Amino acid sequence: MNKFLTKDDSRRALIKMKSFHDDLSCLMNKHDFDIFQNLGRRNILLSQAQEKYFAESLSRKFKVRSDGRTGEPDIVIECLDKELECKLTSPQKHGSISFQTDYESLLKKGSLDFLYVVDDKDFEKFAVIHYENLTINDY
């Protein structure tokens, strides 16, 4: 197993994600929105921060690219020839966690590495899960 993503890498990225989340929450409150009302929408707003801050953290050790545009890999670690697909998810009402992806992209590429960040409803607790070489058969 290639352990290129360490606990410290994840911690650095999560600290920045948390700061961005808190700033976003304050801005939304100022305009009478509640960021906690719709966790799916919140996670969409934070997904770009996940890509950016994990790429920044990994760039301390590797040359990385992070684009995030539709059809482009979220993070590429060039020297390892790795693409990381980033996903941010929260437990559903009854506790289940959805680890979903884009079927067409996975079918086209054959396999991908996934970097899932699972957050709690308060955006205070996190689990970082890295899956290597997942295929459509894994879903």
Side-chain angles (χ1 to χ4, degrees):
M1 177 194 292
N2 187 343
K3 292 198 62 141
F4 60 86
L5 179 68
T6 66
K7 188 175 184 176
D8 286 339
D9 296 329
S10 296
R11 185 176 289 123
R12 267 191 297 279
L14 291 170
I15 287 169
K16 287 186 173 186
M17 285 179 69
K18 174 73 173 129
S19 175
F20 180 76
H21 172 274
D22 293 347
D23 290 348
L24 186 58
S25 180
C26 287
L27 177 64
M28 290 184 77
N29 283 337
K30 179 180 173 182
H31 293 275
D32 200 27
F33 293 106
D34 181 0
I35 196 168
F36 299 101
Q37 188 175 15
N38 184 327
L39 298 184
R41 183 172 290 153
R42 176 192 70 187
N43 289 347
I44 289 169
L45 293 171
L46 289 164
S47 65
Q48 186 175 4
Q50 178 191 8
E51 296 165 13
K52 176 182 174 48
Y53 297 138
F54 273 88
E56 279 181 5
S57 192
L58 288 167
S59 72
R60 295 167 56 113
K61 300 182 290 190
F62 306 104
K63 183 175 180 185
V64 300
R65 284 186 290 117
S66 179
D67 191 313
R69 288 181 295 167
T70 302
E72 296 296 322
D74 294 334
I75 299 173
V76 176
I77 304 171
E78 294 176 355
C79 66
L80 299 177
D81 196 30
K82 286 280 186 188
E83 290 184 12
L84 286 175
E85 186 69 24
C86 296
K87 302 290 182 186
L88 182 63
T89 188
S90 303
Q92 304 295 317
K93 221 177 211 180
H94 301 289
S96 65
I97 299 170
S98 176
F99 293 99
Q100 50 191 355
T101 189
D102 173 30
Y103 179 83
E104 291 300 320
S105 294
L106 199 52
L107 186 62
K108 178 180 161 187
K109 296 203 177 200
S111 71
L112 281 171
D113 282 16
F114 287 85
L115 176 60
Y116 286 98
V117 172
V118 182
D119 59 71
D120 69 342
K121 71 178 184 72
D122 297 321
F123 212 74
E124 296 286 337
K125 297 178 183 175
F126 309 92
V128 177
I129 304 166
H130 173 223
Y131 290 108
E132 291 185 281
N133 302 314
L134 290 184
T135 69
I136 56 171
N137 295 327
D138 294 313
Y139 286 90

Coordinates of all heavy atoms in Angstrom, one line a residue, residues 24-60:
L24 N -17.7 30.8 5.8 CA -18.9 30.6 5.0 C -20.2 30.7 5.8 O -21.2 31.3 5.5 CB -18.8 29.3 4.2 CG -19.9 29.1 3.1 CD1 -19.9 30.2 2.1 CD2 -19.7 27.7 2.5
S25 N -20.1 30.0 7.0 CA -21.3 30.0 7.9 C -21.6 31.4 8.4 O -22.8 31.8 8.4 CB -21.0 29.1 9.1 OG -22.1 29.1 10.0
C26 N -20.6 32.2 8.7 CA -20.8 33.6 9.1 C -21.5 34.4 8.0 O -22.4 35.2 8.2 CB -19.5 34.2 9.6 SG -18.9 33.6 11.2
L27 N -20.9 34.3 6.8 CA -21.5 35.0 5.7 C -22.9 34.6 5.4 O -23.8 35.5 5.2 CB -20.6 34.7 4.4 CG -21.1 35.4 3.1 CD1 -21.1 36.9 3.2 CD2 -20.3 34.9 1.9
M28 N -23.2 33.3 5.5 CA -24.6 32.9 5.2 C -25.5 33.4 6.3 O -26.6 33.8 6.0 CB -24.6 31.4 5.1 CG -23.9 30.9 3.8 SD -24.1 29.2 3.5 CE -25.8 29.0 3.0
N29 N -25.1 33.3 7.6 CA -25.9 33.9 8.7 C -26.2 35.4 8.5 O -27.3 35.8 8.8 CB -25.2 33.6 10.0 CG -25.3 32.2 10.5 OD1 -26.2 31.5 10.1 ND2 -24.4 31.8 11.3
K30 N -25.2 36.1 8.0 CA -25.4 37.5 7.7 C -26.5 37.8 6.8 O -27.2 38.8 6.8 CB -24.1 38.1 7.2 CG -24.1 39.6 6.9 CD -22.8 40.0 6.4 CE -22.9 41.5 5.9 NZ -21.6 41.9 5.3
H31 N -26.7 36.8 5.8 CA -27.8 37.0 4.8 C -29.0 36.1 5.1 O -29.8 35.8 4.3 CB -27.2 36.6 3.4 CG -26.2 37.6 3.0 ND1 -26.5 38.8 2.4 CD2 -24.8 37.6 3.1 CE1 -25.4 39.5 2.1 NE2 -24.4 38.8 2.6
D32 N -29.1 35.7 6.4 CA -30.2 34.9 6.9 C -30.4 33.6 6.3 O -31.5 33.1 6.0 CB -31.5 35.8 6.7 CG -32.6 35.3 7.7 OD1 -32.3 34.7 8.7 OD2 -33.8 35.4 7.3
F33 N -29.2 32.9 6.0 CA -29.2 31.5 5.6 C -28.6 30.7 6.7 O -27.7 31.1 7.4 CB -28.4 31.3 4.3 CG -29.0 32.0 3.1 CD1 -28.4 33.1 2.6 CD2 -30.1 31.4 2.4 CE1 -29.0 33.7 1.5 CE2 -30.6 32.0 1.3 CZ -30.1 33.2 0.8
D34 N -29.0 29.4 6.8 CA -28.4 28.5 7.8 C -27.7 27.4 7.0 O -28.3 26.5 6.4 CB -29.6 27.9 8.6 CG -29.0 26.9 9.7 OD1 -27.8 26.7 9.8 OD2 -29.9 26.4 10.4
I35 N -26.4 27.4 7.1 CA -25.5 26.4 6.4 C -25.8 25.0 6.9 O -25.6 24.0 6.1 CB -24.0 26.8 6.6 CG1 -23.2 26.0 5.5 CG2 -23.5 26.5 8.0 CD1 -21.8 26.5 5.4
F36 N -26.3 24.8 8.1 CA -26.6 23.5 8.6 C -28.0 22.9 8.2 O -28.2 21.8 8.5 CB -26.5 23.5 10.2 CG -25.1 24.0 10.6 CD1 -24.9 25.2 11.1 CD2 -24.1 23.1 10.6 CE1 -23.6 25.6 11.5 CE2 -22.8 23.5 11.0 CZ -22.6 24.8 11.5
Q37 N -28.8 23.7 7.6 CA -30.1 23.3 7.2 C -30.1 22.2 6.1 O -31.0 21.4 6.1 CB -30.9 24.5 6.8 CG -32.4 24.2 6.5 CD -33.2 25.5 6.2 OE1 -32.6 26.5 5.9 NE2 -34.5 25.4 6.3
N38 N -29.1 22.3 5.2 CA -29.1 21.4 4.1 C -27.6 21.0 3.9 O -26.8 21.6 3.3 CB -29.6 22.1 2.8 CG -29.6 21.2 1.6 OD1 -28.8 20.3 1.4 ND2 -30.6 21.4 0.7
L39 N -27.3 19.8 4.5 CA -25.9 19.3 4.5 C -25.4 19.0 3.1 O -24.2 19.2 2.8 CB -25.8 18.1 5.4 CG -26.1 18.4 6.9 CD1 -25.8 17.1 7.7 CD2 -25.3 19.6 7.4
G40 N -26.3 18.5 2.2 CA -25.9 18.3 0.8 C -25.4 19.5 0.1 O -24.3 19.5 -0.5
R41 N -26.2 20.6 0.3 CA -25.8 21.9 -0.3 C -24.5 22.4 0.3 O -23.6 22.9 -0.3 CB -26.9 22.9 -0.1 CG -26.6 24.2 -0.8 CD -27.8 25.1 -0.8 NE -28.8 24.6 -1.7 CZ -30.1 24.8 -1.6 NH1 -30.6 25.5 -0.6 NH2 -30.9 24.3 -2.4
R42 N -24.4 22.3 1.7 CA -23.2 22.7 2.4 C -21.9 22.0 1.8 O -20.9 22.6 1.5 CB -23.3 22.4 3.9 CG -22.0 22.8 4.6 CD -21.9 22.3 6.0 NE -21.8 20.9 6.0 CZ -21.8 20.2 7.2 NH1 -22.0 20.8 8.3 NH2 -21.7 18.9 7.1
N43 N -22.1 20.7 1.6 CA -20.9 19.9 1.1 C -20.6 20.2 -0.3 O -19.4 20.2 -0.7 CB -21.2 18.4 1.2 CG -21.2 17.9 2.7 OD1 -20.8 18.6 3.6 ND2 -21.7 16.7 2.9
I44 N -21.6 20.6 -1.1 CA -21.2 21.1 -2.5 C -20.4 22.4 -2.4 O -19.4 22.5 -3.1 CB -22.5 21.3 -3.3 CG1 -23.2 20.0 -3.6 CG2 -22.3 22.1 -4.5 CD1 -24.6 20.1 -4.2
L45 N -20.8 23.3 -1.5 CA -20.1 24.5 -1.3 C -18.6 24.3 -0.9 O -17.7 25.1 -1.2 CB -20.8 25.5 -0.4 CG -22.1 26.0 -0.9 CD1 -22.8 26.8 0.3 CD2 -21.9 26.9 -2.1
L46 N -18.4 23.2 -0.1 CA -17.1 22.9 0.5 C -16.3 22.0 -0.3 O -15.1 21.8 0.0 CB -17.3 22.4 1.9 CG -17.8 23.4 2.9 CD1 -18.3 22.8 4.2 CD2 -16.6 24.4 3.3
S47 N -16.8 21.4 -1.4 CA -16.1 20.4 -2.2 C -14.8 21.0 -2.8 O -13.8 20.4 -2.9 CB -17.0 19.7 -3.2 OG -17.4 20.6 -4.1
Q48 N -14.9 22.2 -3.3 CA -13.8 22.9 -3.9 C -12.7 23.1 -2.9 O -11.5 23.0 -3.2 CB -14.2 24.2 -4.6 CG -13.0 24.8 -5.4 CD -13.5 26.0 -6.2 OE1 -14.6 26.5 -6.1 NE2 -12.5 26.6 -7.0
A49 N -13.1 23.5 -1.7 CA -12.1 23.7 -0.6 C -11.4 22.4 -0.3 O -10.2 22.3 -0.1 CB -12.8 24.2 0.6
Q50 N -12.1 21.2 -0.3 CA -11.5 19.9 -0.1 C -10.4 19.7 -1.1 O -9.3 19.3 -0.8 CB -12.5 18.8 -0.2 CG -11.9 17.4 0.0 CD -12.8 16.3 -0.3 OE1 -13.9 16.5 -0.8 NE2 -12.4 15.1 0.0
E51 N -10.7 19.9 -2.4 CA -9.7 19.7 -3.5 C -8.5 20.6 -3.3 O -7.4 20.2 -3.4 CB -10.4 19.9 -4.8 CG -11.5 19.0 -5.2 CD -12.4 19.4 -6.3 OE1 -12.0 20.4 -7.0 OE2 -13.5 18.9 -6.5
K52 N -8.8 21.9 -3.1 CA -7.7 22.9 -3.0 C -6.8 22.6 -1.8 O -5.6 22.5 -1.9 CB -8.3 24.3 -2.9 CG -7.2 25.3 -2.7 CD -7.9 26.7 -2.5 CE -6.9 27.8 -2.2 NZ -5.7 28.0 -2.9
Y53 N -7.4 22.4 -0.6 CA -6.6 22.2 0.6 C -5.8 20.9 0.7 O -4.7 20.8 1.2 CB -7.4 22.5 1.8 CG -7.9 23.9 1.9 CD1 -9.2 24.2 2.2 CD2 -7.1 25.0 1.5 CE1 -9.7 25.5 2.3 CE2 -7.6 26.3 1.5 CZ -8.8 26.6 1.9 OH -9.3 27.9 1.9
F54 N -6.4 19.8 0.2 CA -5.7 18.5 0.1 C -4.6 18.6 -0.9 O -3.5 18.1 -0.7 CB -6.6 17.4 -0.1 CG -7.2 16.8 1.1 CD1 -8.4 17.3 1.7 CD2 -6.6 15.8 1.8 CE1 -8.9 16.8 2.9 CE2 -7.1 15.3 3.0 CZ -8.3 15.8 3.5
A55 N -4.8 19.3 -2.0 CA -3.7 19.5 -3.0 C -2.6 20.3 -2.4 O -1.4 19.9 -2.6 CB -4.3 20.1 -4.3
E56 N -2.9 21.3 -1.7 CA -1.9 22.2 -1.1 C -1.1 21.3 -0.1 O 0.1 21.4 0.0 CB -2.5 23.3 -0.3 CG -2.9 24.5 -1.2 CD -3.5 25.6 -0.3 OE1 -3.6 25.6 0.9 OE2 -3.9 26.6 -1.0
S57 N -1.8 20.5 0.7 CA -1.1 19.7 1.7 C -0.1 18.7 1.0 O 1.0 18.5 1.4 CB -2.1 19.0 2.6 OG -1.5 18.5 3.7
L58 N -0.6 18.1 0.0 CA 0.2 17.1 -0.7 C 1.3 17.7 -1.5 O 2.4 17.1 -1.7 CB -0.7 16.3 -1.7 CG -1.6 15.3 -1.0 CD1 -2.6 14.7 -2.0 CD2 -0.8 14.1 -0.4
S59 N 1.2 19.0 -1.9 CA 2.2 19.7 -2.6 C 3.4 20.0 -1.8 O 4.5 20.3 -2.3 CB 1.7 21.0 -3.3 OG 1.5 22.0 -2.3
R60 N 3.4 19.8 -0.5 CA 4.5 19.9 0.3 C 5.5 18.8 0.1 O 6.7 18.9 0.4 CB 4.1 19.9 1.8 CG 3.3 21.1 2.2 CD 2.6 21.0 3.5 NE 3.6 20.7 4.6 CZ 3.9 21.5 5.6 NH1 3.3 22.7 5.7 NH2 4.8 21.2 6.5

